[in-house]
Amino acid sequence: MLKKKSMTPYTILSAVILAALAVFFLFPLYWIVTGSVKEKSDIIIKSGEMVKWIPTRITWDNYQRLFKTGTELFGIQMPMAIRWLFNSVFISVVAMGLTCATSSLAGYVLAKKRFWGKGLIFGLFVCAMALPKQVILIPLMSEMSSLGLLKSVWGSMFAVIFPVVGWPFGVFLMKQFSENIPSSLLEAARIDGAGELRTFLEVAFPIIKPGFGALAIFTFINSWNEYPLQLVMLTQNEAKTISLGIASKLSEMSNDFGLIMAGAALAAVPIIIVFLCFQKYFTQGITMGAVKG
Amino acid sequence: MGNKKQKAPARSLVLQRRETMVSYLFLLPALFFFVGFVITPMAMGVITSFTDASFTNPEGTFVGLKNYTRLFQDKIFLKSAVNTVIIVVVSVPAVTAFSLWVGSAIYKMRSGIRSFYRCVFYLPVVTGSVAVTVVWKWMFDKYDGLLNYIVKALGGQPLPWTSSEQMALWCIILILFTTSIGQPIVLYVAALGNVDASLEEAAKVDGANDFQVFWKIKWPSIMPTTLYVAVITTINSFQCFALIQLLTSGGPNYSTSTVMYLLYDIAFKTTKEFGYADAMGVVLAIVIALFSALQFKVMNGGTTE
């Protein structure tokens, strides 16, 4: 890790600080997971007693209380919290699919084609990206409600998905990746008589695939955690995502930390696993998105 | 480049038209969502900000600049604006400096350790603001919270944390900090890895110490990253919302209310005056744009080639 000659007091000190910081950053997650399986008596801190750093006994009580309210989906009985989890997955997967499809097509032509109005369109995308997306929350809600989407459970979920798909970051990212496509390859495909769509799918797509992966994982995680939009659009209990569901539990029963932690674990652990599996793509996406085009 | 320019006039009008048509077909799906759900609401927001629209009266009538002049007499808005500025002014330099430090401490490490640290600091972002906030809420709890346990164990008096007007905003800033440094660290690690190693070697041969190497070689070459980090952190800090809504709901006594939170509170909770809340949104957007432009100017001014 360290070259012998750089073993100065400074490097040792910074290694120690880094390790301490890592503990500090990992701790909240540890506290969520262990809190979710602690008994009530472990959660309360009694004066004069040690805090329970490790659960004395693992219990699923908190999860049982969280799963008490039931609901139905496609004719299957299930706890409400599982329905929320399903909604989170549904919203993230659909948003991911739509974003990847629309952005890779748009990014490709913005990087590789010459056409009238290209500068203007790209400029609009970039300008919109610099603006705060939460300030459009109110008009978005009015728009979705006048489109009639907020009346139904599934409609309101799409009211969360559409603005995520419209956000221009994906187009910007895919344009960056599409710059790598050699124009000579596209030219060769054209001379061979391949249609535009086939050229895109067979020549361009294999080259921009890493970008596609980065965008997919990025969009998945972002829409999973897109809280303000969910808060405004998903008013019916059956339409809530897991994060929003936990947030509403927090206002109902703010003292039942065990139950809240069970919910937080349910919201955090799946997305962390997804992140760890696709970490490589993710890092690539962040760095590519920052390079100025 | 020269090659392209030569070819351009040779393209026939038919081909050009065909390329434009194909391009727009490919752009159409993205433009549909972008225009429909980003541009349209932006325009609607600006228009509504000049009306007295509300939940009971969604259309509203034109009131000119009344909402905007009202903002500057609204004590709660002014207090929220001050809180917002405090959050931004504290967190932007803190996040930038801290992530630069972590980035430079880890970028030369073995790749396994480097990605471990990168992951650890990115984890609060992935975990999501709701899960992060609820666990902090528990840790800040007056009775069953870990922080007061530690304070007491060290012999101190239990602190009120989020229920005190003096401390609550700092609690928010602390959580915001933990959820803000992940992306900057990833960016700095990448940027520092791209610094031309031969320049660094040459400077060392010439007898420069580590500090000089950093200041004269690395700092100028990572300037674009620093600028980008400062801008995204500014935008994120201005928009800080979930933490506040879940942790303090702007209280106690508006001590943690920010413009973004107040906007939500007015539009969806209290008076439901959409027009007035939209005026706040427009002001917030303008301020963010100005701040970003200012940072661009200041930081670019530092590295005129």
Side-chain angles (χ1 to χ4, degrees), chain A residues 10 27 45 50-51 113-116 133-134 138-139 141 143-144 162 225 227 231 243 271 279 282 287 290, chain B residues 19 23-24 33 36-37 41 98 101 119 122 125-126 128 130 144 146 149 181 190 228 239 245 264 268 277:
Chain A
Y10 173 75
F27 186 77
I45 299 178
M50 243 318 238
V51 65
K113 299 273 176 197
R114 277 174 296 161
F115 58 91
W116 180 85
K133 58 176 153 183
Q134 290 178 17
I138 307 164
M141 197 218 54
E143 186 186 357
M144 295 305 180
F162 291 158
N225 289 331
Y227 175 72
L231 176 70
S243 333
I271 197 73
Q279 207 226 113
F282 199 76
T287 24
Chain B
E19 191 164 352
S23 303
Y24 276 96
F33 288 103
F37 304 107
F98 183 81
W101 179 77
C119 258
Y122 205 88
V125 186
V126 180
V130 175
D144 297 329
L146 192 61
Y149 168 81
I181 62 163
Y228 183 74
Q239 295 192 83
Q245 196 246 345
Y264 163 83
F268 299 104

Side-chain angles (χ1 to χ4, degrees), chain A residues 73-84:
Chain A
L73 177 66
F74 308 131
I76 305 163
Q77 291 291 324
M78 60 174 74
M80 188 59 92
I82 298 295
R83 171 79 206 253
W84 292 341

